[in-house]
Amino acid sequence: MAMFGLEPAGPVIRWQPHEGQRHAYRPGETAALCGDELVVRKASEREWFDDTCPECRRTAWVIVNPGIPYPVADASPRPRPQRRRNRGRVA
């Protein structure tokens, strides 16, 4: 579907909330990229805040970004530096 006369530059992936997660699917298909069967419908505003299905996220990344490795988060978070706060007190 063209919006403002523009065609998509690459593969089209759509998202649909389903059973507590957002799932990715290709237009015209009834299965999510993770294999779950979807019913495409108008979702409530709250449902868009559900977590994203991790398998759909990874698969959508590979489809939309061919040849670019999926970014993997570091397993151990970096320690945050302690910030000193001077709340108007004179030492």
Side-chain angles (χ1 to χ4, degrees), residues 62-73:
V62 170
I63 292 169
V64 175
N65 302 289
I68 301 173
Y70 181 75
V72 179

Side-chain angles (χ1 to χ4, degrees), residues 37-51:
E37 285 296 319
L38 298 176
V39 175
V40 178
R41 61 181 172 72
K42 181 168 176 60
S44 72
E45 189 173 318
R46 189 213 53 80
E47 287 178 294
W48 290 107
F49 290 97
D50 290 343
D51 290 334

Side-chain angles (χ1 to χ4, degrees), residues 22-41:
R22 291 174 298 169
H23 291 272
Y25 69 99
R26 292 176 188 247
E29 295 185 6
T30 59
L33 298 178
C34 66
D36 281 4
E37 285 296 319
L38 298 176
V39 175
V40 178
R41 61 181 172 72

